[in-house]
Amino acid sequence: MAQAKTQFGYRRHPDQDRPGANPAEHAVVVVGAGPVGLSLAIDLAQRGQRVVLLDDADRIGEGSRAICFSKRSLEYWDRLGVGDRMVEKGVVWSVGRIFHGESQLYQFNLLPEDGHKRPAFINLQQYYAEAYLVDRINDLPGIDLRWRNRVSALERRNDSVVLTIETPEGAYRLNAHYVIACDGARSSLRQMVGAEFAGQVFEDQFLIADVKMTAEFPTERWFWFDPPFHAGRSALLHKQPDDVWRIDLQLNRYADPAVEKQPENVRPRIARMLGHDKFEFEWISLYKFQCRRMDRFIHGRVVFAGDSAHQVSPFGARGANSGLEDAENLSWKLDRVLRGRSPASLLESYHIERSAAADENIRESTRSTDFMAPNSHQEARLRKAVLSLAKETEFGKRMVNGGRLSVPCSYDTPLSSPDADAWAGGPRPGCSMLDAPVSPRGGETAYLTDTFRQGGTYFTLLGFGNGAAIDVPDGVKEIRIGGANGLGDTAGLIAKRYDAAPGTAYLLRPDGYVAARFRHPTRAAIAAALSRAQGLN
Amino acid sequence: MALSTSSNFALPDDAFRAVVEAHRDLTDEQSADFDAALVLILANHIGDIDVLREAIALARRRMIDGQQQQQQQQ
């Protein structure tokens, strides 16, 4: 089973020569160089922080892990300077089809409208995503990436955390102001802080096979209930780059993993599915999953992000994507705290916002899983009713749950200022900004997400129309749409998506979420919303 | 309370008979399948999650009361 692997060398660092009683001191140590840790390190470095990034391995993990990266994740990766590379390599898709038995129940389009820079999803093997992020890190100053550095002990002090780190040349210690644990579902840091990780265990087993073949299937997500090739169970087919196809088959919960994953047992099943056996296996594994999260994502100066903090079932692409949302939520807050611009209590909003998001992701993915693998005769009966009603009713189609795919959460958060004006649409405070085309004077059409990124992803006031000039508080960037000097709205989409009239303004956080919006902003109102969003009051 | 429990049919017996007769000639298993579909169709027609939740709560409550009565009779 050949995999695109990248090997990295262990290199001794001068920190290792320091006496144990006087360890080197660092502002931020990120543990775990997966997609979340790598992205967080880049984000912090782009904000001017120096980051030590530790990983216990010396290569990018092989095998079949995350493949679906959402529009939101791509917009984040654009800000980190890796979006184009991901999209060029990835398989772009937005259409899914759901089948029951031999026939199609319905199809959906996750991005049915134009005027967005990024597609609904790309499929990309996680090892490519990680390799591109590592390349980006090597081009950036400020990130010290140390392979084969395994954290073996953690001591929490009042104003710092002391880590003991094992290397091929023995152990050393580091003193960190903040430690960000991105060390995955089996997080050893989570155990070191003594945190529980409780939740629901699902008994059903699923088989993942990544197969290599040249095939005529379209680049869509195909999901079957009770297909002819896999009676009574569900199946998923999805395309990845390099002519690799992801196949996910639900198995009997009593199936013997050792037997089921033998290629000679998997092959006939997949041959029936594809209608031929001209394929090679890239990867086969069986998995069960759990839906669970930490009670608190913050333990003193140790902050958890990604799978270390929350785990979901894979149906819905909510694992890696929610971890990336953790990273974008945390990095600007941590940067402000490290610079002394916001109190440490701003970090509490990371826990509030992202633990609520984790609850939503767990709820959605649990519902999908329960629909795919009903827990009782009556649940199975209700599902059967939905599937049969879906053939002729719209409401039945909408109840069929073959995975609800990741979209940005909306936050009910103390950082938002509630609406004081009347709005008929547009993103509410706590929601993610919406992309739309904008036309610079005499330039080519661009996108709002790009304009926001080029401004440096600070707090940004997005203002519409001529209106009175707004006296923007210090440190806030401005994007103006329309008026004498503003960007054009030639497609007419941005005003519509933001329910904008002349004078309308949105205050965007550095992670692109709406902090507040105004029909006729005053300097005082903007300043109040800004200090609220910065955790200053 | 969003759920209406006053009598909404001009001819309640007709409504009851319509449901009863729909089960004629069905096995218990088929009847259960039929009920599952009917519940979902009616729930969607109501289209109000609060009403649905109240209806579910009422049905659950009646079931528990019914069990207790049975136990008392025994």
Side-chain angles (χ1 to χ4, degrees):
Chain A
M1 295 189 197
Q3 293 290 333
K5 276 184 284 216
T6 314
Q7 187 91 24
F8 304 99
Y10 158 79
R11 276 205 311 257
R12 188 173 181 87
H13 191 278
D15 284 356
Q16 293 169 244
D17 300 325
R18 312 250 316 200
N22 183 25
E25 197 172 311
H26 293 278
V28 192
V29 174
V30 177
V31 181
V36 179
L38 291 163
S39 297
L40 179 63
I42 294 169
D43 197 346
L44 286 165
Q46 289 189 165
R47 294 180 188 282
Q49 297 293 338
R50 299 193 68 82
V51 181
V52 175
L53 176 53
L54 307 174
D55 196 273
D56 59 358
D58 61 354
R59 61 178 181 183
I60 286 173
E62 50 194 293
S64 192
R65 294 178 295 155
I67 62 163
C68 293
F69 294 99
S70 69
K71 179 174 189 292
R72 179 75 202 175
S73 295
L74 297 174
E75 289 167 356
Y76 183 46
W77 278 342
D78 274 337
R79 285 184 241 147
L80 303 184
V82 291
D84 285 341
R85 230 180 140 189
M86 301 284 183
V87 174
E88 275 158 28
K89 180 70 190 177
V91 173
V92 169
W93 67 277
S94 64
V95 171
R97 293 176 194 274
I98 306 261
F99 301 89
H100 183 208
E102 303 263 5
S103 55
Q104 179 179 320
L105 284 182
Y106 72 102
Q107 70 174 75
F108 54 86
N109 187 340
L110 295 166
L111 190 59
E113 56 177 27
D114 289 335
H116 294 265
K117 180 176 182 191
R118 290 309 183 194
F121 279 93
I122 63 164
N123 286 354
L124 181 69
Q125 290 91 334
Q126 185 174 328
Y127 48 74
Y128 281 122
E130 290 179 5
Y132 301 161
L133 289 163
V134 171
D135 286 347
R136 173 69 180 144
I137 281 180
N138 291 332
D139 289 342
L140 272 180
I143 303 174
D144 176 1
L145 175 47
R146 303 182 190 175
W147 300 103
R148 294 191 74 184
N149 273 239
R150 182 176 64 84
V151 175
S152 61
L154 178 156
E155 181 196 332
R156 289 153 71 188
R157 298 186 176 166
N158 280 341
D159 53 358
S160 68
V161 178
V162 179
L163 298 175
T164 305
I165 298 158
E166 303 289 335
T167 75
E169 296 179 300
Y172 70 105
R173 303 203 322 154
L174 279 186
N175 194 340
H177 296 180
Y178 282 94
V179 172
I180 317 301
C182 306
D183 56 342
R186 290 188 204 90
S187 171
S188 51
L189 271 73
R190 192 179 57 228
Q191 287 157 30
M192 290 175 201
V193 302
E196 296 246 331
F197 199 41
Q200 189 179 356
V201 179
F202 291 83
E203 294 302 324
D204 287 270
Q205 298 189 90
F206 291 81
L207 179 138
I208 274 194
D210 282 344
V211 305
K212 189 155 183 138
M213 62 174 180
T214 47
E216 297 301 314
F217 296 108
T219 55
E220 300 171 343
R221 180 184 193 266
W222 286 16
F223 191 93
W224 287 265
F225 292 101
D226 195 14
F229 54 83
H230 193 49
R233 314 211 174 271
S234 63
L236 178 69
L237 179 68
H238 225 174
K239 190 180 185 186
Q240 304 172 65
D242 307 336
D243 293 319
V244 174
W245 296 75
R246 161 70 52 91
I247 292 166
D248 201 319
L249 296 173
Q250 180 192 14
L251 297 178
N252 185 324
R253 59 178 66 177
Y254 309 107
D256 179 351
V259 174
E260 294 290 342
K261 69 188 216 187
Q262 294 301 319
E264 63 269 26
N265 295 329
V266 180
R267 180 166 277 280
R269 201 175 257 150
I270 289 178
R272 275 202 304 280
M273 175 175 186
L274 301 173
H276 64 79
D277 71 347
K278 291 182 271 308
F279 57 84
E280 292 163 47
F281 288 116
E282 287 263 314
W283 182 264
I284 301 172
S285 58
L286 250 70
Y287 67 94
K288 281 189 188 182
F289 49 78
Q290 309 195 15
C291 286
R292 54 186 179 170
R293 78 161 170 93
M294 292 175 83
D295 200 27
R296 292 211 26 94
F297 289 6
I298 302 176
H299 286 252
R301 287 170 171 269
V302 186
V303 182
F304 291 81
D307 283 356
S308 71
H310 45 76
Q311 250 187 302
V312 295
S313 90
F315 300 103
R318 290 168 182 273
N321 290 307
S322 70
L324 292 168
E325 288 180 58
D326 290 350
E328 74 164 1
N329 189 293
L330 179 58
S331 71
W332 68 271
K333 294 173 182 173
L334 187 59
D335 175 61
R336 288 192 66 85
V337 170
L338 287 167
R339 289 173 189 281
R341 289 183 183 160
S342 289
S345 58
L346 176 63
L347 295 178
E348 183 62 18
S349 71
Y350 165 76
H351 167 72
I352 293 170
E353 293 174 358
R354 295 310 303 165
S355 67
D359 287 343
E360 181 179 319
N361 287 320
I362 287 171
R363 186 172 63 244
E364 291 292 335
S365 77
T366 300
R367 287 174 173 183
S368 299
T369 308
D370 285 345
F371 195 89
M372 288 171 209
N375 288 308
S376 67
H377 287 303
Q378 185 60 23
E379 265 186 69
R381 178 176 283 132
L382 283 159
R383 187 186 89 163
K384 190 166 98 181
V386 168
L387 290 171
S388 62
L389 286 165
K391 290 200 177 80
E392 55 180 305
T393 64
E394 195 237 336
F395 89 85
K397 289 179 178 49
R398 298 231 8 225
M399 271 185 191
V400 173
N401 191 339
R404 304 286 185 217
L405 287 135
S406 173
V407 288
C409 295
S410 55
Y411 301 140
D412 183 9
T413 168
L415 304 192
S416 291
S417 298
D419 280 339
D421 304 316
W423 300 88
R428 284 178 293 110
C431 293
S432 173
M433 69 188 288
L434 303 170
D435 203 7
V438 292
S439 332
R441 198 155 291 277
E444 286 183 21
T445 297
Y447 289 93
L448 180 63
T449 48
D450 274 335
T451 312
F452 176 70
R453 171 177 60 81
Q454 284 152 4
T457 65
Y458 297 102
F459 277 94
T460 301
L461 194 75
L462 171 65
F464 290 84
N466 248 333
I470 303 167
D471 190 5
V472 177
D474 278 353
V476 175
K477 300 276 172 182
E478 202 179 353
I479 298 173
R480 183 156 280 277
I481 309 294
N485 302 311
L487 296 164
D489 182 17
T490 39
L493 285 173
I494 186 166
K496 198 168 143 212
R497 284 179 192 163
Y498 284 81
D499 185 26
T504 293
Y506 280 73
L507 179 64
L508 303 175
R509 311 189 328 189
D511 54 9
Y513 274 74
V514 175
R517 55 182 179 169
F518 314 92
R519 285 298 184 194
H520 297 286
T522 61
R523 184 188 163 91
I526 297 170
L530 181 66
S531 66
R532 184 169 182 161
Q534 294 174 338
L536 295 174
N537 48 8
Chain B
M1 180 140 154
L3 177 72
S4 163
T5 53
S6 50
S7 183
N8 292 325
F9 286 108
L11 297 170
D13 293 351
D14 284 4
F16 184 76
R17 288 310 302 172
V19 176
V20 167
E21 281 166 20
H23 285 274
R24 289 263 163 90
D25 310 322
L26 299 184
T27 64
D28 282 356
E29 186 71 14
Q30 289 168 329
S31 268
D33 285 355
F34 170 87
D35 275 345
L38 186 63
V39 163
L40 293 171
I41 292 165
L42 295 177
N44 177 68
H45 182 86
I46 291 164
D48 181 327
I49 193 73
D50 294 327
V51 174
L52 179 61
R53 290 210 168 102
E54 281 183 39
I56 289 167
L58 174 58
R60 291 283 300 196
R61 205 159 61 234
R62 294 314 306 158
M63 205 174 68
I64 293 161
D65 290 351
Q67 280 169 354
Q68 283 168 349
Q69 273 174 19
Q70 249 180 11
Q71 279 166 0
Q72 280 163 9
Q73 283 163 10
Q74 283 165 3

